[in-house]
Amino acid sequence: MKILLVDDDMVDRMATQRLLKKSNLDIQITIAVTGHQAINEMESTEFDLVLLDYNMPDLSGLEVLQHVNIKGIGKTAIIFLSGSEDETLAQRCLELGAQDFLLKKEISQVHLLKAITHSKLRHQNEVRLDQDRLKIRDLAEYDQLTGLLNRYAFESRITQSNAFRNRLNMGLSLMILDLDNFKWINDTYGHDQGDKVLIAVAKLLAKVCREEDFLCRLGGDEFAIAINCDDKDYSYVVAERIFSVLKKPLQFDDFSVTIECSIGIADFTLKMDELNDVLKKADLAMYRAKSDGRNRFHYFNNTLQEISERRMSVASELRQAIEEDELVVFYQPQICAKSMKLIGAEALVRWQHPVRGLLGPHEFLDIAEETGLIVEIDQIVMIKACQQRLTWKNEFIKNDDFKIAINISARHLKSDKFLDNTKKVLEEIKIDPSFIDLEIVESELVQDFTKAVNVISQLKSMGVNMSIDDFGTGYSSLSYLKHLKVQTLKVDRSFLTDVPNSDVDCRLLKGLINLGKSMELTVVIEGVEDIHQLNKCQDYQADIIQGFHFSKPLSVQEFEAYYQQYQPS
Ligand code: C2E
Ligand code: MG
Ligand code: MG
């Protein structure tokens, strides 16, 4: 046991030393004869116990204790030794963290030993409590992966610093940052590596922030920074710095990645602005940055607020529309390019809005995607289209090859419910699965390729065919086509815009058709608007044509009329 004995009085010191030596304790005694010497010793050595004289010429024992507390070196049990009896003083010493207060004249060997043992135990308990307290605070305030503040601590630090900022008339900007490609990193390299990336990003962000800024991990791959600034433009500077530090690929032992992120920024404009409102604004701006093409920042403005409010009201109306059965399905005819027979239709959702009239998908599907309502909408369209197909089979479409194509959103395809939902619809409506085709947009398919491959092969085993919609817009590697067991490619209508006028576009269209056919897929061309485009598609041997040249999407009654008067020509 290492003991520091601090006493300026040689006689007292020797008496205490004698008592200590007589005990059977295994001790090493260091002597200090002034308060300053005691502090120096405690700074350089970790003692198990300090026996501290109260009366010393340079510093009183109490002052030594205060120094030790301020400097954070108070990790040692301290017992005061005093020549005079003073209850108030003893109380004060104990309050400041001393373990005991002994009167020199009363000290006996037994007495001292007892005090040492008790003090040590009490001190150990205090240290343990202190460590637990720190651990709890750490758990409550810090993100355990990155060591950054968590959301709770972030919010409370901002609130605590409000008064200070207001006094200095200082502004505050909030920045929300979301990694664009983190899901891909996790899927490609696994979660452990994903964690390493988050830790590395947190370190880089910490470098960009100043000491007075607060940086936190909101959760997942989302971070927030509160930037204290006089100058409104300073947050732009921080955003630019972040892009510049993230530009360099992050190198790890076995992989390297380049991080891209989207940033939204919003300011506290009024003193009474609520933190949560500003966070929401920054969040809106961040989503705007994402929808503008990612890897950029966006500053919150009121237009965004209006858009967001409109979106919220559309979302709640849409929820009601689902309950009130205001969603209807339109059908756009599909024609066999070779025989010119009407061989199918694509089911396209419309919203029969009680006030605004008939609304197309562009008015509400993105909101449905964001809110998750798309899953219900897809399900409703699937049920309605399947029922319609059966009704037509019994009434006037005798051709069993007539198929209805139904659009499925990526969110629905990815949801765990999708396969069960589809199975349920097929069983309840008792429809032959070969009567329908499910379409999924290419760009969305490639986002979660492994899952898509799996779901598509299970659908195939249920007898349901899949198409890749808007093919050519997904910027994806063609090799994935081999792995997806789809039957149909729908070439995006943008490839038709300059056909037949542009030679390059004609060659591109021909190339896309050949690609699909070389993989033994049925090739559908959508967006055919005139006879010239139709002729080109036929020349290039597309299989199925869809477009305004034949008809726009039609209501059930309109479609029936169209079907009845349709003549292959
Ligand atoms: P899509 O699946 O690619 O559907 C084709 C879209 O192109 C339809 O737009 C159709 O009206 C339009 N179109 C067809 N022929 C022509 C043409 O010759 N010229 C031009 N300019 N446009 C043509 P619509 O009905 O507005 O649907 C837009 C998108 O909304 C669809 O694109 C599809 O991705 C999505 N969608 C529609 N219904 C549903 C649904 O029930 N569920 C899901 N998840 N998405 C749907
Ligand atoms: Mg489609
Ligand atoms: Mg399409």
Side-chain angles (χ1 to χ4, degrees), residues 332 346 349-350 365 378 381 407 469-470 493 527 529 548 553:
Q332 186 174 32
E346 176 169 10
V349 70
R350 301 288 181 266
L365 275 197
D378 277 0
V381 172
N407 293 284
D469 204 354
D470 300 351
R493 66 167 193 264
E529 294 189 347
F548 293 170

Side-chain angles (χ1 to χ4, degrees), residues 334 346-348 405-408 438-441 467-470 490 526 546:
Q334 294 185 323
E346 176 169 10
L348 294 156
I406 299 165
N407 293 284
I408 300 294
L438 299 185
E439 293 188 0
I440 171 100
V441 173
S467 309
I468 296 185
D469 204 354
D470 300 351
K490 286 188 86 170
E526 56 182 343
Q546 177 184 342

Side-chain angles (χ1 to χ4, degrees), residues 274-289:
E274 289 285 339
L275 172 63
N276 249 344
D277 294 340
V278 184
L279 271 173
K280 271 188 213 149
K281 287 178 182 175
D283 209 40
L284 272 177
M286 191 271 290
Y287 274 103
R288 180 56 190 265

Side-chain angles (χ1 to χ4, degrees), residues 34-232:
T34 65
H36 284 113
Q37 206 183 336
I39 294 168
N40 287 343
E41 288 290 351
M42 285 171 83
E43 268 180 335
S44 60
T45 312
E46 204 169 302
F47 292 98
D48 298 300
L49 179 74
V50 179
L51 293 169
L52 181 60
D53 180 23
Y54 183 77
N55 281 316
M56 283 181 294
D58 61 338
L59 295 173
S60 75
L62 206 57
E63 284 168 329
V64 172
L65 186 57
Q66 277 165 338
H67 258 79
V68 163
N69 283 344
I70 291 168
K71 290 194 171 177
I73 46 176
K75 296 210 169 35
T76 316
I78 296 178
I79 297 178
F80 269 91
L81 305 173
S82 172
S84 55
E85 206 167 342
D86 182 339
E87 272 303 313
T88 331
L89 181 69
Q91 188 61 33
R92 182 87 186 105
C93 291
L94 294 176
E95 276 168 12
L96 278 177
Q99 298 298 332
D100 213 338
F101 191 95
L102 305 180
L103 279 178
K104 285 185 181 175
K105 61 180 181 205
E106 286 177 358
I107 302 179
S108 66
Q109 190 198 346
V110 180
H111 197 172
L112 184 63
L113 268 184
K114 250 193 214 164
I116 290 177
T117 318
H118 285 161
S119 298
K120 273 209 69 182
L121 283 177
R122 209 173 318 135
H123 184 256
Q124 274 165 3
N125 283 342
E126 276 174 18
V127 169
R128 209 169 302 132
L129 260 177
D130 244 21
Q131 283 168 345
D132 287 350
R133 238 195 320 266
L134 280 179
K135 221 181 277 166
I136 291 169
R137 203 194 67 184
D138 202 58
L139 281 172
E141 296 198 334
Y142 292 92
D143 171 52
Q144 296 303 298
L145 179 69
T146 59
L148 300 182
L149 294 178
N150 63 21
R151 186 187 188 119
Y152 158 78
F154 179 71
E155 292 184 357
S156 67
R157 301 276 153 104
I158 292 176
T159 314
Q160 280 161 16
S161 62
N162 270 348
F164 164 76
R165 247 192 336 274
N166 288 344
R167 211 167 40 241
L168 296 182
N169 221 359
M170 196 183 248
L172 183 70
S173 288
L174 280 189
M175 180 181 279
I176 290 187
L177 178 151
D178 187 278
L179 306 187
D180 293 333
N181 48 349
F182 186 67
K183 189 178 164 347
W184 177 84
I185 292 170
N186 251 348
D187 290 348
T188 315
Y189 299 109
H191 288 256
D192 287 347
Q193 313 290 37
D195 284 354
K196 284 189 196 162
V197 170
L198 289 175
I199 294 168
V201 169
K203 280 196 185 132
L204 289 176
L205 294 178
K207 270 194 200 156
V208 169
C209 293
R210 300 162 308 173
E211 219 173 292
E212 63 264 38
D213 301 331
F214 303 125
L215 166 63
C216 97
R217 178 171 171 223
L218 288 175
D221 58 352
E222 210 171 52
F223 299 85
I225 309 175
I227 304 162
N228 288 296
C229 46
D230 293 327
D231 181 1
K232 201 168 168 298

Side-chain angles (χ1 to χ4, degrees), residues 423-552:
K423 213 180 271 173
K424 214 163 123 203
V425 173
L426 295 177
E427 281 167 9
E428 276 177 15
I429 300 180
K430 296 194 181 62
I431 185 170
D432 179 344
S434 72
F435 283 0
I436 60 167
D437 234 354
L438 299 185
E439 293 188 0
I440 171 100
V441 173
E442 183 202 18
S443 52
E444 295 179 337
L445 253 184
V446 293
Q447 279 174 23
D448 196 346
F449 186 67
T450 324
K451 175 121 194 198
V453 170
N454 186 5
V455 172
I456 291 173
S457 78
Q458 294 201 51
L459 281 172
K460 196 173 178 202
S461 66
M462 283 157 56
V464 181
N465 282 347
M466 284 294 291
S467 309
I468 296 185
D469 204 354
D470 300 351
F471 181 70
T473 58
Y475 309 107
S476 49
S477 142
L478 290 177
S479 70
Y480 79 98
L481 267 184
K482 270 196 317 205
H483 302 284
L484 288 170
K485 304 265 179 270
V486 297
Q487 286 73 34
T488 308
L489 275 194
K490 286 188 86 170
V491 174
D492 189 65
R493 66 167 193 264
S494 58
F495 290 98
L496 273 184
T497 321
D498 287 325
V499 170
N501 301 328
S502 149
D503 280 350
V504 175
D505 282 28
C506 287
R507 283 200 294 272
L508 200 54
L509 179 65
K510 188 177 178 187
L512 283 169
I513 295 173
N514 284 342
L515 173 84
K517 298 198 73 90
S518 70
M519 301 185 86
E520 296 174 351
L521 300 173
T522 302
V523 179
V524 181
I525 307 293
E526 56 182 343
V528 174
E529 294 189 347
D530 59 45
I531 183 83
H532 309 292
Q533 291 179 336
L534 170 64
N535 289 339
K536 281 290 178 200
C537 293
Q538 286 173 320
D539 286 352
Y540 302 151
Q541 298 183 348
D543 297 301
I544 297 173
I545 314 290
Q546 177 184 342
F548 293 170
H549 175 62
F550 296 100
S551 167
K552 59 184 186 11

